[in-house]
Amino acid sequence: VNIDEIPTPALVVDLDLCKSNIAQMAAALPGPSLRPHVKAHKCTALARLQRGAGHPGFTCATIKEAEGLFDAGLGDDLFIANEVVDARRIGDLVQKGAKVMLAVDSEATIEAAASGGVEEVIIDVDVGMPRCGCDEDDAARLADLARSLGLRVEGVMGYEGHAVHIRDLPKRNDEVQKSAYALLRAHDLVGGKIVSGGGTGSYNLNSVVTEVQAGSYVLMDGDYGTMALPFDQALLVHTTVISVHKKGWAVADAGTKAIYGTPHIVEGGDVMFSSDEHLAFVPEHPVRVGDRLHVIPGQLDPTIALHKGMWVARGTKVVERWQVDLSGW
Ligand SMILES: Cc1ncc(COP(=O)(O)O)c(C=O)c1O
């Protein structure tokens, strides 16, 4: 099948660019020094390529992602880098033979881990992003509590999400270092072999972590695309022009139900607005009804989560179809 024959809107992965992103990252962060975050792509086929590049473990955001990786035979070193208040489904996975570490940042989440059948936890520390993570000063107390309940404390995590998207490199580096040292101080108090953190924007800046949790690097998006990172845009949303107006604008068939974040039109053009099923834009060059238009989504993860599958192409030829099989919760 030629890529221009697939129904639109559709996600299309350039397989060669995707593989070169994987290889580039594996060269910078080989083996266990990268724990790819599957929330970026929610796709076991892609996780298998990452495993093939030498990374033994995966980071998950949801229990569903961990379950899907386990069902796909990729569940022998998982980390759910998120808090949960009902850990029984994770306990079931552990019973079946999965290795799953779980992030905790409070007494309640530690108790949920212990009562749900989790065996290994990682203390999640606030390193500057106002999201999950305990106070640095509270990390030791929580680690002791976890141990007293029979949990193995494998280390600490701290995600510097407030820093990874800073465009100015010296500023980004400063913020990453501040977070990294906060995490290191917490690790001194907690112990354990794992210091987990980092993302695509800090993959080569955060030198205190034993593993980087980057995910977006594998396909990239419009936001990361402006940051001079050495990864290529390997995913596009293919759309079709469905209306052309005499007053100068045109409309493609991919609205907010197909693209999350500010769309960037590869062929050029100014986006006017997106509605549910429409992308209204002023084309840079004349377009006709039926023309294909290629769009870089502003944000990768939530865009993929809007789709059931991705077409995988080499040049203009479709070579595979990957299911987005880790969606849901
Ligand atoms: C906990 C956690 N770790 C790591 C990442 C890194 O992802 P990315 O590669 O998109 O920067 C994220 C992204 O939001 C995250 O939430």
Side-chain angles (χ1 to χ4, degrees):
V1 180
N2 186 286
I3 200 65
D4 286 335
E5 289 165 31
I6 61 168
T8 60
L11 297 180
V12 177
V13 174
D14 183 313
L15 186 59
D16 295 326
L17 292 180
C18 172
K19 284 186 173 173
S20 93
N21 288 344
I22 291 173
Q24 178 99 355
M25 185 62 105
L29 296 173
S33 56
L34 183 78
R35 182 182 284 280
H37 208 320
V38 300
K39 85 191 213 344
H41 52 68
K42 289 188 177 285
C43 172
T44 54
L46 238 172
R48 207 165 275 122
L49 288 182
Q50 292 172 310
R51 167 67 62 89
H55 311 298
F58 294 101
T59 310
C60 306
T62 66
I63 299 177
K64 177 70 188 288
E65 288 168 4
E67 289 171 337
L69 287 170
F70 177 74
D71 289 343
L74 297 168
D76 42 356
D77 186 3
L78 305 179
F79 173 30
I80 300 179
N82 215 352
E83 279 61 22
V84 306
V85 295
D86 181 352
R88 287 175 294 179
R89 279 164 59 205
I90 306 173
D92 291 345
L93 274 182
V94 173
Q95 283 297 312
K96 287 189 208 160
K99 174 181 161 65
V100 192
M101 301 178 288
L102 176 63
V104 291
D105 72 353
S106 64
E107 289 172 28
T109 50
I110 289 169
E111 281 156 14
S115 66
V118 170
E119 293 173 354
E120 298 157 85
V121 294
I122 289 187
I123 307 294
D124 188 359
V125 182
D126 170 11
V127 292
M129 182 192 205
R131 210 173 67 177
C132 295
C134 68
D135 280 353
E136 204 183 305
D137 298 342
D138 208 22
R141 182 185 71 86
L142 291 174
D144 289 345
L145 172 67
R147 290 189 180 105
S148 76
L149 295 178
L151 295 162
R152 225 167 18 254
V153 178
E154 295 287 17
V156 293
M157 98 152 222
Y159 175 54
E160 68 275 26
H162 60 298
V164 296
H165 294 278
I166 298 174
R167 282 184 179 37
D168 180 76
L169 181 58
K171 270 196 207 139
R172 187 181 345 142
N173 189 40
D174 277 357
E175 286 302 317
V176 171
Q177 299 320 318
K178 273 189 232 157
S179 299
Y181 284 99
L183 189 58
L184 204 55
R185 286 192 298 272
H187 183 243
D188 281 346
L189 303 170
V190 167
K193 61 181 187 298
I194 292 179
V195 181
S196 195
T200 298
S202 62
Y203 81 100
N204 57 350
L205 303 176
N206 191 332
S207 52
V208 315
V209 292
T210 58
E211 53 176 50
V212 172
Q213 305 174 352
S216 298
Y217 78 96
V218 72
L219 296 170
M220 294 292 282
D221 61 23
D223 186 45
Y224 269 135
T226 62
M227 285 178 56
L229 294 163
F231 307 107
D232 290 314
Q233 186 61 43
L235 174 122
L236 295 174
V237 183
H238 284 215
T239 76
T240 305
V241 175
I242 53 169
S243 181
V244 178
H245 203 281
K246 282 192 189 122
K247 288 182 184 155
W249 71 80
V251 182
D253 63 354
T256 56
K257 291 181 181 173
I259 299 170
Y260 190 95
T262 307
H264 174 85
I265 299 167
V266 174
E267 288 82 358
D270 290 328
V271 171
M272 295 163 66
F273 63 90
S274 296
S275 49
D276 290 356
E277 303 286 2
H278 303 90
L279 171 60
F281 67 103
V282 178
E284 200 171 298
H285 312 286
V287 293
R288 289 188 310 192
V289 171
D291 283 355
R292 294 273 168 150
L293 195 77
H294 305 98
V295 177
I296 299 172
Q299 286 184 48
L300 175 69
D301 309 27
T303 295
I304 290 191
L306 295 169
H307 294 257
K308 292 201 158 51
M310 301 179 240
W311 302 90
V312 184
R314 272 213 149 103
T316 57
K317 198 166 168 265
V318 175
V319 293
E320 250 178 286
R321 169 107 175 134
W322 290 343
Q323 297 306 315
V324 180
D325 49 0
L326 300 175
S327 277
W329 286 270

